[in-house]
Amino acid sequence: MPLPLVHFMSGLPRSGSTLLAAILRQNPVVAEAGYISPVAPMIVKLSSVMVEGEYQTEFDTETRDRVLRGVLLNYYGKLPAPERQRPVIIDNSRIWCTRVGLANALFPGSRIICCVRDPARIIDSFERLIQKNPLLGSKIVPIERRGNLYSRIDYILAADGPFGFCWRAFNEAYFGDMAHNLIVVDYDRLVNDPGGTMAILTDALQLPAWRYDFERVQFEEPVAFDHNLNSPGQHIVRERVGAVHRRLAIPPRNCVATGGGHILARS
């Protein structure tokens, strides 16, 4: 069986990565593509054992590459190879934007799909998800930061918050020396022109052309994963691809400063 072709998915949260993965899985050569996996943090932690401390002398470059590559391949297990086609794995993690060089070293020729979206809409999406489950107390925001809307937004935008970290990671990759490995997919472009967006993406990922069905998108919701974060419905995908127009759930004059002097505002 041929080794799978590996690509990655990263970028900003609440920006359509689950929807995009669900659409990509319609292509018969895509064996795996889903919500965030533990592969990237496993590789990062294992790598630190190999390059520092008492065991670093036991790993040469070839051994390190083989072991780290094996983490991903063994996590996804034995993949069915479509006839005369090389199976494709698309691993999803926000960390990949901070490890573009590592991804390319382990899987040469791989690309990183970066899903992006208007930051105000991302914050709005987080707030709607939190408000949707008021009795659970979503673990997306620590309990001590849930007091009011503004404290929640401050945490979401913080350097270690769910948007702040990803924003910095994406900028690191986008303005880095390996930016040519990125494929940036804008959420609004995806939902307003899914056919055109998927045609470009399919070609960029070297997948065989496929007629994707944007009227019947199916994705098995990771119920246990979402409930563990007290955020059921976090990865629900609507069956029909299309834009949903709605007013923001955050105050109209909300302005929050982020690192580096940038201001995210909604007028």
Side-chain angles (χ1 to χ4, degrees), residues 11 21 30 47 51 58 62 72 80 103 117 159 166 176 209 227 239:
V30 178
S47 179
V51 298
E58 305 305 308
E62 181 182 352
L72 184 145
R117 190 182 189 183
C166 295
H227 276 267
E239 188 175 26

Side-chain angles (χ1 to χ4, degrees), residues 156-214:
I156 290 169
L157 293 176
D160 59 346
F163 175 82
F165 171 84
C166 295
W167 174 259
R168 290 162 175 79
F170 172 69
N171 277 276
E172 175 184 339
Y174 188 81
F175 293 103
D177 291 337
M178 301 192 71
H180 57 276
N181 278 28
L182 308 184
I183 304 172
V184 180
V185 178
D186 179 73
Y187 175 83
D188 291 325
R189 174 72 181 273
L190 174 62
V191 297
N192 285 295
D193 181 22
T197 301
M198 292 308 300
I200 295 172
L201 183 60
T202 297
D203 182 64
L205 296 177
Q206 301 179 29
L207 305 180
W210 188 255
R211 178 178 288 184
Y212 299 96
D213 187 348
F214 304 115

